[in-house]
């Protein structure tokens, strides 16, 4: 069960008119963009993005999933909540909730990423410093 209180990272995104589909609610591909924004928020908050910029090592998305629960509408805000789900040897998973203006869960997401060396083109174990940092979330 996803408890909203378990999510330490939050990002509010304005729902734009261009996010809508022909049924006048947020298009399913837009939900995936919202999940991406949640991941980037996590990368920035944990230092993953800065680590990548300095070393050309970081994380690579290998799987993403979104379960749609209820529609989102314009005008409004999509709140993306993100937390660490699990840590493996060279990978970890993030859980996301997308909430509407009434704090109702509109979607649940799950991402799996691997630590990746972009120079050597291979995975590497989650460094201890990163394991400690992401465990805070």
């Amino acid at each position: 069960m996803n408890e909203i209180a378990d999510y330490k990272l939050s990002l509010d995104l304005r729902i734009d008119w261009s996010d809508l589909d022909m049924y006048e609610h947020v298009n399913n591909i837009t939900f995936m963009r919202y999940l991406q924004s949640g991941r980037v928020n996590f990368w920035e908050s944990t230092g993953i993005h800065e680590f990548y910029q300095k070393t050309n090592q970081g994380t690579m998305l290998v799987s993403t999933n979104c379960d749609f629960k209820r529609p989102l509408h314009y005008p409004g805000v999509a709140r993306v909540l993100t937390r660490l789900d699990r840590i493996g040897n060279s990978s970890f998973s993030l859980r996301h909730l997308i909430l509407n203006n009434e704090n109702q869960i509109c979607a649940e997401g799950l991402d799996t990423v691997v630590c990746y060396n972009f120079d050597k083109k291979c995975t590497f174990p989650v460094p201890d410093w990163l394991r400690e940092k992401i465990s805070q979330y």
Side-chain angles (χ1 to χ4, degrees):
M1 184 93 196
N2 283 312
E3 295 293 329
I4 292 174
D6 293 338
Y7 291 78
K8 295 183 180 175
L9 282 178
S10 178
L11 179 66
D12 287 350
L13 301 170
R14 187 185 82 183
I15 296 171
D16 288 324
W17 183 257
S18 62
D19 294 340
L20 306 182
D21 61 18
M22 65 185 261
Y23 303 114
E24 298 184 2
H25 55 64
V26 172
N27 187 291
N28 57 1
I29 198 67
T30 301
F31 277 84
M32 301 307 282
R33 280 194 3 254
Y34 294 166
L35 295 181
Q36 179 183 29
S37 294
R39 276 192 306 278
V40 171
N41 190 34
F42 189 86
W43 298 167
E44 291 173 346
S45 298
T46 58
I48 292 171
H49 181 68
E50 182 180 356
F51 176 64
Y52 167 75
Q53 289 180 315
K54 291 179 179 177
T55 66
N56 210 30
Q57 297 177 61
T59 51
M60 178 184 288
L61 181 69
V62 295
S63 176
T64 187
N65 181 65
C66 186
D67 293 326
F68 305 102
K69 303 298 183 181
R70 66 178 70 231
L72 281 167
H73 299 280
Y74 174 88
V77 171
R79 175 166 289 147
V80 183
L81 305 179
T82 303
R83 71 172 175 82
L84 180 69
D85 185 56
R86 71 156 191 89
I87 306 175
N89 181 40
S90 61
S91 67
F92 59 91
S93 297
L94 301 175
R95 288 222 175 256
H96 307 277
L97 295 179
I98 299 176
L99 309 178
N100 63 14
N101 290 343
E102 291 80 38
N103 282 328
Q104 297 170 317
I105 297 173
C106 296
E108 297 177 10
L110 178 65
D111 296 331
T112 301
V113 301
V114 295
C115 290
Y116 193 77
N117 183 317
F118 291 89
D119 289 331
K120 296 180 180 179
K121 307 217 181 316
C122 64
T123 62
F124 62 91
V126 179
D128 290 340
W129 72 266
L130 182 57
R131 188 177 294 272
E132 182 179 325
K133 185 67 175 176
I134 65 178
S135 293
Q136 297 172 21
Y137 294 92

